[in-house]
Amino acid sequence: MVEQIHWPKGFGPTEAPIHVVNRIETGTAPEIVWRRLVHAAGWPAIYANASDVAIEGDGADLFAGARFTWKTFGVALKSEVKEFEPETCIAWLAKGIGVTAYHAWLIVPAASGCSILTEETQYGPVSRVGRLLFPTRMERWHQKWLEALAA
């Protein structure tokens, strides 16, 4: 599944200093998972690590090229959707003080439900310090997000 992500130059898993992968199998239909994932205004209700989500133009859902701001891991981010294939893939580039990240999601249909994969790569001093002090924090939180999308 990983080869379906179109990593920007320098953000590939073998290039970036921080790389996190999470996946889950679920009986939930891909279109339901997709709706939950692109409904960024609703993230705080299913993912306690997201807050202050605001999409330019005051919409509630992400779309190709959408720009949005939000907070996660205590960091305010400006993000832009770079990949958008309905019910299959979404990825965004996020920038904040001390961190630049590329976060991709893949939804792969299965016989009953789907598989959800999320991968993120990061650069920056805030990222490195966070990884050093809390080495598995991002994996744990991303897994919670996956579980909420799959529920």
Side-chain angles (χ1 to χ4, degrees):
M1 290 192 299
V2 176
E3 56 277 355
Q4 294 175 322
I5 299 170
H6 301 101
W7 297 100
K9 183 177 171 107
F11 281 88
T14 60
E15 301 167 285
I18 296 172
H19 175 227
V20 174
V21 179
N22 290 76
R23 62 178 46 92
I24 195 168
E25 305 293 323
T26 179
T28 304
E31 59 272 13
I32 293 171
V33 171
W34 179 258
R35 280 195 304 268
R36 291 175 182 160
L37 182 56
V38 299
H39 186 65
W43 288 350
I46 63 168
Y47 181 54
N49 195 25
S51 64
D52 301 330
V53 179
I55 301 169
E56 275 187 15
D58 295 325
D61 294 343
L62 297 176
F63 52 89
R67 294 175 190 264
F68 63 104
T69 57
W70 63 306
K71 285 184 183 174
T72 188
F73 295 103
V75 178
L77 298 170
K78 291 182 180 183
S79 302
E80 181 178 357
V81 174
K82 297 293 190 178
E83 295 183 57
F84 191 89
E85 187 177 333
E87 297 182 14
T88 302
C89 176
I90 188 169
W92 54 79
L93 183 64
K95 296 180 180 182
I97 295 175
V99 62
T100 302
Y102 195 75
H103 195 163
W105 298 79
L106 297 177
I107 301 170
V108 179
S112 64
C114 64
S115 173
I116 313 166
L117 171 119
T118 185
E119 276 197 68
E120 183 169 344
T121 59
Q122 293 186 352
Y123 285 93
V126 170
S127 298
R128 288 177 187 261
V129 169
R131 193 69 167 165
L132 182 65
L133 296 175
F134 309 103
T136 62
R137 178 175 65 167
M138 196 171 358
E139 287 90 345
R140 286 193 323 266
W141 275 105
H142 283 182
Q143 196 63 34
K144 289 179 183 186
W145 201 349
L146 284 173
E147 290 167 4
L149 292 170

